[in-house]
Structures are given as structure tokens and as C-alpha cells.
């Protein structure tokens, strides 16, 4: 009962909101905020990640419905999936039931998968992704560039979006190698009809370089910090528009 969801906006090149990413936080009553890097591995090892993941998915869907009822538009939410959740035989059934229970239209949900999840069983992963596409749910490859994905793998998965890891974005202004990696990721996505999201953007120089490279979407402290739902509501009331996610 101590977990909370925060939402960080994802913006396009015109500064319009495209979606928000649901981020799990643990504000411990005596120890303060405990990093997901600490508690997520423990939850995965103990098996508790399943009820946690299902709670995150349902809570995020309910919160987006609350935004719609507030008259703030149909905001898409991106939810990170755990390997156990994605590879479970009942995953698609549970997902459909969650959408039915919450009333969230499937096009308002985006699922984020790491390269490692998808590479464990590529054939089964492709079948699951095809089912998600038929449901009109979009898929992003998270932390792109930190795994060992081949170009064939990227081609066959046909995800909607590549998320460039913030470790590359954070050194754009002083490391030519990272600039080359990000630039090639954007070119690859363009040629495959995908979007690139640069996460962890914090400075004006990083923003300038990403604009020059033609990056499609950005996320980071430069634009907006993660927010609880009431804070997100107030932020949305000040934003001029919501750009529908393709």
C-alpha cells in the first residue's frame, strides 16, 4: 500500500504532450524514497513483481480515465512490463480484462519492453506483439542500445518507438561516439517508420543537438519532472494541447 505512481510527460518537437510514462515510486514512511533499482530486483526474485506489475497497469489505466473525465483529453500512458509479466501465458488475457475493467481505450496504452525481454524468446515475443498490434496497443523498445539486439531483431519486432537510453543522451554534448549512436538510431527509426524518444534530456545543449538530429520525442527534467496525478492534472491545465500519438 506504500507504492505510488508518478507520471512523466513525453513531448514532441513542438512541445506538445504525446503521452506520459508511469513510474513506480516507493516513499517509505521512515526511510524516505527507495529507488526502484533496489526494490524491483528483489520483487522479481521473490515473485512479488507480478501483483505489483498488475497493480501498476490497472492504476495507470484508471488514472488516464480520470484525466478524460476531468476534460483534459485522452492522454496515452506508457507502462513498463517486467519479463515475468510479458512471458506469462495469461498475459494477453489479463491485459484485455484490465482494459475492460477500467474502460481505457487500448490506443491510450503503450507498453515498454526492454531488449532483454524480447530476445529471450523472439518467436513467441513476435506473436505477442502481433496480438498487441491487433488490439491497437503500441509498443516501445526501452533502453535501446544497451542490449544486444541485431538489426534483424529490430526489423522483425516492428515496434512503434525506440527509446534511446539516457546514458547516451547525457553525454551528447561532449562525446562524439554517443552523438553518432543517437544519430544512427534516429536514422534507423526513420527508415523503419518508427519514432525515437530521447530520455533523460536535462540541458539546452542536449535539446539543441537532438533537434538538429531530427529526434521525434523527448523526455526529461528539461521539460517536466515526474508528477503525482493531482500535479499532472494541474500541469495539463496549463499546457496548450495534446498531440495524438500515431
Amino acid at each position: 500500500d506504500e507504492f505510488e505512481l508518478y507520471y512523466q510527460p513525453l513531448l514532441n518537437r513542438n512541445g506538445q504532450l504525446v503521452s506520459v510514462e508511469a513510474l513506480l515510486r516507493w516513499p517509505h514512511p521512515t526511510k524516505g524514497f527507495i529507488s526502484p533499482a533496489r526494490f524491483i530486483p528483489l520483487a522479481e526474485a521473490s515473485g512479488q513483481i507480478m501483483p505489483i506489475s498488475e497493480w501498476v497497469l490497472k492504476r495507470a489505466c484508471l488514472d488516464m480515465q480520470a484525466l478524460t473525465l476531468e476534460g483534459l483529453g485522452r492522454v496515452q500512458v506508457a507502462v513498463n512490463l517486467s519479463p515475468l509479466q510479458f512471458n506469462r501465458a495469461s498475459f494477453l488475457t489479463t491485459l484485455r480484462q484490465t482494459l475492460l475493467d477500467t474502460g481505457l481505450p487500448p490506443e491510450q496504452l503503450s507498453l515498454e519492453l526492454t531488449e532483454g525481454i524480447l530476445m529471450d524468446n523472439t518467436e513467441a515475443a513476435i506473436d505477442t506483439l502481433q496480438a498487441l498490434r491487433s488490439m491497437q496497443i503500441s509498443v516501445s523498445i526501452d533502453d535501446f542500445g544497451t542490449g544486444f539486439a541485431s538489426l534483424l531483431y529490430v526489423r522483425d519486432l516492428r515496434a512503434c518507438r525506440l527509446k534511446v537510453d539516457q546514458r547516451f543522451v547525457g553525454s551528447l554534448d561532449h562525446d562524439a561516439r554517443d552523438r553518432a549512436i543517437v544519430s544512427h538510431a534516429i536514422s534507423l527509426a526513420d527508415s523503419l517508420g518508427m519514432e525515437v524518444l530521447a530520455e533523460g534530456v536535462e540541458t539546452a545543449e542536449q535539446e539543441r543537438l537532438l533537434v538538429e538530429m531530427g529526434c521525434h520525442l523527448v523526455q526529461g527534467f528539461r521539460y517536466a519532472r515526474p508528477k503525482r496525478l493531482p500535479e499532472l492534472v494541474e500541469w495539463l491545465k496549463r499546457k496548450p494541447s495534446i498531440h495524438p500519438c500515431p
Side-chain angles (χ1 to χ4, degrees):
D1 295 334
E2 294 173 4
F3 287 126
E4 293 183 355
L5 280 189
Y6 280 55
Y7 297 98
Q8 187 169 28
L10 283 62
L11 309 175
N12 65 14
R13 282 177 281 199
N14 298 319
Q16 295 171 307
L17 178 71
V18 171
S19 63
V20 296
E21 180 181 2
L23 301 171
L24 184 62
R25 295 291 182 261
W26 185 2
H28 194 279
T30 59
K31 298 181 180 180
F33 275 90
I34 298 177
S35 169
R38 290 184 60 195
F39 71 78
I40 291 296
L42 293 174
E44 290 177 335
S46 65
Q48 296 179 71
I49 193 65
M50 283 307 303
I52 292 172
S53 298
E54 291 174 0
W55 176 84
V56 169
L57 180 62
K58 188 169 186 177
R59 181 73 263 165
C61 292
L62 287 170
D63 286 350
M64 292 309 103
Q65 280 291 73
L67 293 181
T68 301
L69 294 175
E70 283 271 352
L72 296 171
R74 296 159 67 93
V75 180
Q76 186 190 60
V77 62
V79 176
N80 293 273
L81 293 184
S82 73
L84 287 176
Q85 188 179 18
F86 181 76
N87 291 319
R88 200 169 189 176
S90 60
F91 166 63
L92 290 173
T93 301
T94 301
L95 179 61
R96 291 188 181 96
Q97 189 62 49
T98 300
L99 291 173
L100 185 63
D101 291 343
T102 61
L104 188 76
E107 60 269 19
Q108 279 184 251
L109 179 62
S110 175
L111 300 177
E112 298 195 353
L113 312 170
T114 63
E115 296 176 12
I117 293 177
L118 301 171
M119 291 177 67
D120 288 340
N121 190 345
T122 304
E123 185 174 339
I126 291 174
D127 290 342
T128 302
L129 289 174
Q130 288 176 341
L132 293 174
R133 280 196 295 271
S134 69
M135 295 168 63
Q136 296 185 315
I137 295 173
S138 62
V139 174
S140 299
I141 300 176
D142 199 9
D143 300 332
F144 181 71
T146 61
F148 301 95
S150 70
L151 294 181
L152 285 174
Y153 151 86
V154 174
R155 181 199 68 184
D156 291 343
L157 289 177
R158 293 196 300 167
C160 302
R161 185 179 299 159
L162 299 180
K163 290 188 67 176
V164 176
D165 190 84
Q166 58 187 348
R167 284 170 284 184
F168 298 115
V169 176
S171 54
L172 279 178
D173 53 355
H174 61 267
D175 194 323
R177 296 170 302 173
D178 284 345
R179 286 198 298 274
I181 290 171
V182 175
S183 178
H184 283 297
I186 294 171
S187 297
L188 173 65
D190 278 336
S191 64
L192 294 175
M194 303 168 68
E195 294 177 314
V196 165
L197 167 65
E199 56 183 355
V201 183
E202 296 186 354
T203 69
E205 181 63 10
Q206 292 167 1
E207 179 182 57
R208 183 187 68 81
L209 290 168
L210 289 166
V211 169
E212 288 182 355
M213 293 177 187
C215 187
H216 310 98
L217 303 170
V218 287
Q219 176 185 8
F221 290 177
R222 170 79 176 156
Y223 313 101
R225 290 178 177 270
K227 307 172 188 300
R228 291 185 175 95
L229 183 64
E231 298 167 336
L232 179 63
V233 168
E234 294 305 311
W235 185 84
L236 285 170
K237 288 178 179 178
R238 300 193 301 269
K239 291 297 290 181
S241 62
I242 295 174
H243 184 74
C245 183

